[in-house]
Amino acid sequence: MRGFIPAIAAFLAFIVVWAFGIPVINLLKRLKFGQTIRDEGPDWHKSKQGTPTMGGILFAIGTVVGVAAGFGVNEILGGELKLELSNSLGFTKLFAGLGLAVGMGLIGFFDDYIKVVKKRNLGLTALQKTIFQSVVTAAYLCALALAGLKTTYIPVLGDVNVVSGAGLIFWPIAFFFIYGFTNAVNLTDGIDGLASSVTIVVAIAFMLIAGALGFEGANTISAAVAGALLGFLVWNWHPAKVFMGDTGSMFLGGMVVALSFAVDRPVFLILIGLIYLIEALSVMLQVAYFKKTKKRLFKMSPIHHHFEKSGWSEEKIVVVFSLVTAICSAICVAAVKLI
């Protein structure tokens, strides 16, 4: 049974996204949901003006369909997942995690809607985004607490108590961890296929970790995410026929965080998601350095644009960033039973 259910989830998620790609892209074109390219971006990005955006709806739906199919088949066949879902905390980690991803995706959807329909290029204000993301994050953590989350795993230290004493610091750290990574994934989406490709590798890493640790639900969800993104990459690879928009990148941000909690290894996301962190850090460094010196530390941030302006092709950036993610992921997968 092990491996069969995740394969079904991945395959169906891929088929849904691949098969509905053209109809959804055409619908987005008819609705005039085209991307507006900001003036401060690379000059050659102007050719992407009007490319349909909000395509993240495709892989969000594909993921949900894949997960539903995988869980449904498991229920019919009486697989290992049944025991995991009968546990309150195990059930909550999976479904509250999906809720976290969908909730973040909805915030991204409203942000995209304001940009393309209301013609406000910056979408939601920073304060509005922060408030909405904070509410979704707090709801997710409350769900985990109410379901009985009492420990979190730290390499070398093992299971650490999070409900008393110094362990209570876990909750504010977890809040900023979720908020930060969600926005870091959002910043990674800036060139054709980048966020899709990097997150495929991240999803595969968590699929392998979940399989090694016996988390069948997380294994299935990770497989569905990887399959859905692979289907989306057919349409998102350079030159992209559709962009995921904040709808997609925010969904992915919530999803990778949820997967890290589902396998009880959120700390692993720091290395597996190193590219996300570097992208976010490059923006913070650029802003801080400019405020102090009135000069730019990078040619442009996030850092993938720096490499673009240094002469790297979009394809090269995607391949290199994905390879870095694969190396970091391999280290975590290899270490999962050792630390």
Side-chain angles (χ1 to χ4, degrees):
M1 182 72 67
R2 183 171 292 186
F4 174 63
I5 302 300
I8 290 176
F11 178 74
L12 281 180
F14 171 83
I15 290 298
V16 166
V17 179
W18 173 75
F20 286 93
I22 291 297
V24 170
I25 291 170
N26 288 337
L27 175 62
L28 292 173
K29 286 180 178 177
R30 286 198 300 273
L31 294 173
K32 300 187 186 303
F33 284 5
Q35 180 73 42
T36 300
I37 304 300
R38 296 168 65 179
D39 292 335
E40 58 267 35
D43 295 339
W44 51 91
H45 278 205
K46 288 296 182 182
S47 63
K48 302 182 182 188
Q49 182 83 17
T51 300
T53 189
M54 300 173 73
I57 293 172
L58 269 169
F59 59 74
I61 293 174
T63 297
V64 172
V65 170
V67 170
F71 282 18
V73 171
N74 182 86
E75 181 69 22
I76 293 170
L77 300 181
E80 299 93 334
L81 183 55
K82 202 164 190 176
L83 181 61
E84 190 174 339
L85 293 178
S86 67
N87 175 275
S88 175
L89 182 56
F91 180 93
T92 302
K93 280 184 176 180
L94 297 178
F95 287 96
L98 284 171
L100 174 66
V102 171
M104 292 298 186
L106 284 173
I107 295 170
F109 175 85
F110 289 123
D111 192 40
D112 285 333
Y113 182 83
I114 291 170
K115 290 175 186 175
V116 301
V117 177
K118 300 298 183 181
K119 305 302 179 185
R120 276 174 41 194
N121 195 34
L122 294 179
L124 293 170
T125 66
L127 179 60
Q128 288 171 330
K129 271 189 182 180
T130 298
I131 292 172
F132 294 146
Q133 290 175 344
S134 296
V135 169
V136 173
T137 299
Y140 171 71
L141 290 175
C142 285
L144 293 184
L146 292 172
L149 180 66
K150 292 181 172 60
T151 63
T152 189
Y153 185 85
I154 306 292
V156 181
L157 298 179
D159 290 327
V160 177
N161 184 294
V162 300
V163 294
S164 63
L168 288 171
I169 198 173
F170 163 82
W171 300 100
I173 290 175
F175 181 92
F176 288 109
F177 179 87
I178 296 168
Y179 175 85
F181 261 105
T182 299
N183 287 289
V185 176
N186 182 234
L187 290 171
T188 305
D189 178 38
I191 60 176
D192 298 356
L194 180 58
S196 305
S197 298
V198 168
T199 309
I200 285 172
V201 179
V202 171
I204 291 172
F206 280 118
M207 182 180 71
L208 295 173
I209 291 170
L213 295 174
F215 292 107
E216 299 302 321
N219 194 356
T220 301
I221 295 174
S222 300
V225 172
L229 284 175
L230 192 60
F232 184 71
L233 200 57
V234 173
W235 312 113
N236 187 232
W237 186 257
H238 184 72
K241 297 177 179 62
V242 65
F243 298 141
M244 66 173 65
D246 284 1
T247 304
S249 60
M250 299 275 282
F251 173 86
L252 292 182
M255 182 55 72
V256 297
V257 171
L259 290 175
S260 72
F261 276 86
V263 299
D264 197 26
R265 299 295 189 277
V267 71
F268 276 21
L269 186 57
I270 295 172
L271 184 56
I272 293 173
L274 183 62
I275 287 295
Y276 304 140
L277 288 179
I278 291 172
E279 294 274 21
L281 185 60
S282 71
V283 173
M284 291 187 284
L285 288 174
Q286 183 86 319
V287 171
Y289 189 77
F290 186 80
K291 283 183 177 179
K292 187 170 185 178
T293 68
K294 301 305 177 185
K295 296 179 182 179
R296 287 179 170 80
L297 183 61
F298 305 107
K299 294 180 180 180
M300 186 177 176
S301 66
I303 201 167
H304 56 259
H305 289 317
H306 170 82
F307 287 111
E308 263 195 296
K309 290 202 166 191
S310 297
W312 286 30
S313 68
E314 293 190 44
E315 295 93 331
K316 180 178 179 179
I317 295 169
V318 171
V319 170
V320 172
F321 280 32
S322 297
L323 282 174
V324 170
T325 303
I327 292 169
C328 293
S329 297
I331 293 170
C332 286
V333 172
V336 71
K337 289 292 187 73
L338 301 177
I339 57 176

